[in-house]
Amino acid sequence: MTTRRKFLTTASIGSAAALAAPSVVKAQAPIKWRMQTYSGAPLGAHVIQPQIESFNKAANGEMEIELFYADQLVPTGEMFRALQNGTIDAVQSDDATMASPVDIADFGGYFPFSSRYSLDLPVLFHRYGLNEIWQEAYDEVEGVEWLGAGAWDPLHVYTVDKPIRTMNDMAGLRVFGVPTAGRFMAQYGLIPVTVPFEDVEVALQTGELDGIAWSGFTEMYEIGWADVCKYALSNNITGAWCGSYFANSDSWAKVPPHLKELFKLSMDSSHYYRQHWYWGGEAQLRANGGKMEQTTIPPEEWEQVVNDAEKFWDQLASRSDRAARVVKIFRDYKALMETVGVPYRY
């Protein structure tokens, strides 16, 4: 029988031994990711670099993301496949540009006249059901996790030395741009041309490209393309680019819950930064940028383009039930905004 005195004595000895023995903490190697963005380095310095730097700091050595810019690891059009097979761990891009094999891919990037302002997109995703539709679509694809979407800048057309003042002026112009908007604008004679992101400026200078249909004013100035293009069409084809974050499924599964939450918080921080960076930049540069002459297609002529977009919407809606649900959401939202008027629509 163990007496109370003996128990206290042995317990004290055991406790002292435990206190005396040095604790051994085994350092765990940090999770390392390679992430590629659609953007080149000058633009990436705003649209993603601050986010990744903040995440790496907040992860406190548990995880480290190495960031790569457009085409540095794989060509932009092959990013989805590279993500799926684990060549890269994460991607920031729109669905169409990275060639996602989902039936809603064309709604990523610039879907013509789907938004008026950049704030429209997060509202559509969070309050009108696009989050659930995107999640549903990517749940059907093995190897890739869709993590969320956000808004970027509006879409304008810029030209080197051929101003656009009527729709006829677009005929034959070779432009670098995003896939969906490029297909839509092709009906007016624009010729979409694909070149590596880093080659765009040289292609504009050599005449391989006549212009760009890829961004708003903020990016034109930040990247340096405003130094090459003389003209900017003030009529915008849509109000905001729709971009998303993706991760390789196996890579995502290895990330502990608290770091997953941290990464999603960093995404929200990036979305917020882009909202004010683009919104303020577009206004400031259109008013005071000084590098490009702005031209405008008359409202009565541009109205036909807006009407043609409705037909383009119908074409995409006919592809699948899910695509039709997306188009219905766009139409319902547009109708509501026009009903309430100021400040949502003017």
Side-chain angles (χ1 to χ4, degrees):
M1 296 285 296
T2 302
T3 64
R4 182 173 181 272
R5 181 182 296 275
K6 185 176 181 182
F7 171 79
L8 291 173
T9 302
T10 54
S12 298
I13 294 172
S15 298
L19 289 172
S23 59
V24 178
V25 179
K26 185 178 180 181
Q28 182 176 345
I31 298 169
K32 289 186 178 291
W33 269 15
R34 299 199 305 173
M35 182 174 189
Q36 183 167 310
T37 176
Y38 72 97
S39 68
L43 177 60
H46 289 277
V47 301
I48 191 169
Q49 184 179 333
Q51 171 203 352
I52 300 306
E53 289 178 348
S54 294
F55 174 83
N56 285 342
K57 184 177 180 179
N60 198 31
E62 294 182 66
M63 183 169 173
E64 182 180 325
I65 298 175
E66 186 177 5
L67 181 62
F68 296 87
Y69 298 101
D71 304 311
Q72 284 190 338
L73 289 179
V74 297
T76 298
E78 298 177 13
M79 281 200 297
F80 189 93
R81 184 169 56 185
L83 179 69
Q84 197 172 35
N85 65 28
T87 301
I88 48 182
D89 301 288
V91 161
Q92 179 201 48
S93 176
D94 72 271
D95 314 71
T97 299
M98 67 184 288
S100 292
V102 292
D103 55 2
I104 45 88
D106 285 327
F107 300 113
Y110 288 119
F111 185 58
F113 301 100
S114 57
S115 61
R116 179 74 65 85
Y117 309 118
S118 59
L119 193 56
D120 288 337
L121 270 173
V123 172
L124 284 161
F125 272 87
H126 291 286
R127 297 181 64 92
Y128 282 77
L130 292 191
N131 266 339
E132 289 75 14
I133 291 177
W134 255 249
Q135 189 65 63
E136 173 189 304
Y138 283 100
D139 281 347
E140 297 174 1
V141 180
E142 291 186 3
V144 171
E145 303 295 319
W146 176 78
L147 304 180
W152 272 250
D153 52 339
L155 176 61
H156 293 266
V157 179
Y158 309 88
T159 50
V160 176
D161 53 18
K162 299 175 182 177
I164 300 174
R165 294 188 171 93
T166 72
M167 293 305 299
N168 292 334
D169 292 334
M170 292 190 182
L173 295 180
R174 295 159 298 176
V175 296
F176 171 77
V178 290
T180 307
R183 289 205 311 275
F184 172 71
M185 296 302 291
Q187 64 186 300
Y188 309 111
L190 282 181
I191 303 171
V193 178
T194 301
V195 298
F197 184 89
E198 295 299 329
D199 294 344
V200 171
E201 187 168 344
V202 173
L204 290 168
Q205 293 170 329
T206 60
E208 182 182 352
L209 291 173
D210 298 303
I212 296 168
W214 196 80
S215 68
F217 282 69
T218 314
E219 291 191 11
M220 289 294 292
Y221 279 82
E222 192 67 30
I223 295 170
W225 294 343
D227 296 323
V228 183
C229 292
K230 297 177 183 177
Y231 300 99
L233 181 63
S234 64
N235 310 73
N236 64 303
I237 299 166
T238 194
W241 187 76
C242 175
S244 289
Y245 288 84
F246 304 85
N248 172 271
S249 295
D250 290 339
S251 299
W252 187 244
K254 295 174 185 176
V255 177
H258 70 288
L259 291 179
K260 286 180 178 176
E261 194 66 22
L262 180 62
F263 186 78
K264 289 185 176 181
L265 287 170
S266 75
M267 285 167 44
D268 288 340
S269 175
S270 182
H271 293 328
Y272 172 70
Y273 176 84
R274 280 183 275 99
Q275 282 282 349
H276 63 74
W277 184 66
Y278 278 119
W279 186 254
E282 294 301 303
Q284 179 67 26
L285 293 170
R286 287 184 66 164
N288 303 313
K291 290 185 177 180
M292 296 180 289
E293 177 186 336
Q294 293 182 52
T295 63
T296 303
I297 293 174
E300 60 275 9
E301 196 174 350
W302 190 249
E303 186 62 27
Q304 182 58 51
V305 182
V306 177
N307 292 336
D308 290 342
E310 291 287 332
K311 301 173 186 176
F312 189 71
W313 287 20
D314 288 336
Q315 291 174 16
L316 292 190
S318 66
R319 292 184 175 182
S320 69
D321 172 70
R322 188 156 48 217
R325 285 155 53 200
V326 174
V327 170
K328 183 179 187 304
I329 287 172
F330 283 140
R331 285 200 165 115
D332 290 347
Y333 180 78
K334 178 182 177 182
L336 179 66
M337 295 297 105
E338 291 173 350
T339 297
V340 298
V342 177
Y344 298 93
R345 294 291 183 268
Y346 288 88

